[in-house]
Amino acid sequence: MSRGRKAGIVAGIVVLIIAIGVFVLQTAPAKRYIFSKVEAMLAQSSGIDLRASRMNYSLGRRVFVTMDDAVVHSTQAPDLPALAQADHVQLQLALLP
């Protein structure tokens, strides 16, 4: 087998693995897992308690994130009123220029 053919097979396998990864990240269980990790990271690193009844995202060159019934509290003072509250939040993040 020639080097060019081997390189093509390896490139094809890499593209297939990336495509499967993106597909898996779009499933509901993966989205719930990622949102729970984001909530935990915000609480631990910034003292932010983020809650939402629904969170959805789509991956691509730009990442779109939507949340319904979003509420932001401080973990330092949970008895105080919410810092922010929204029925619907939509974010657009550019990962690549």
Side-chain angles (χ1 to χ4, degrees):
M1 190 180 292
S2 70
R3 278 185 143 189
R5 184 170 173 96
K6 286 180 185 178
I9 290 172
V10 169
I13 291 171
V14 168
V15 168
L16 181 62
I17 290 171
I18 290 171
I20 290 170
V22 169
F23 174 76
V24 168
L25 288 174
Q26 296 290 351
T27 64
K31 289 180 181 185
R32 283 192 301 270
Y33 175 78
I34 289 171
F35 188 57
S36 70
K37 291 298 181 184
V38 168
E39 286 177 322
M41 183 185 69
L42 286 172
Q44 184 179 30
S45 67
S46 303
I48 296 172
D49 181 17
L50 172 65
R51 302 294 168 148
S53 65
R54 187 177 79 82
M55 191 275 299
N56 194 14
Y57 61 81
S58 64
L59 301 173
R61 185 168 176 207
R62 297 190 193 283
V63 176
F64 293 93
V65 179
T66 57
M67 291 180 276
D68 292 332
D69 304 319
V71 181
V72 177
H73 285 277
S74 169
T75 59
Q76 309 295 321
D79 52 329
L80 292 178
L83 298 170
Q85 188 170 356
D87 293 334
H88 184 76
V89 177
Q90 186 171 3
L91 303 169
Q92 178 182 344
L93 309 168
L95 295 179
L96 300 173

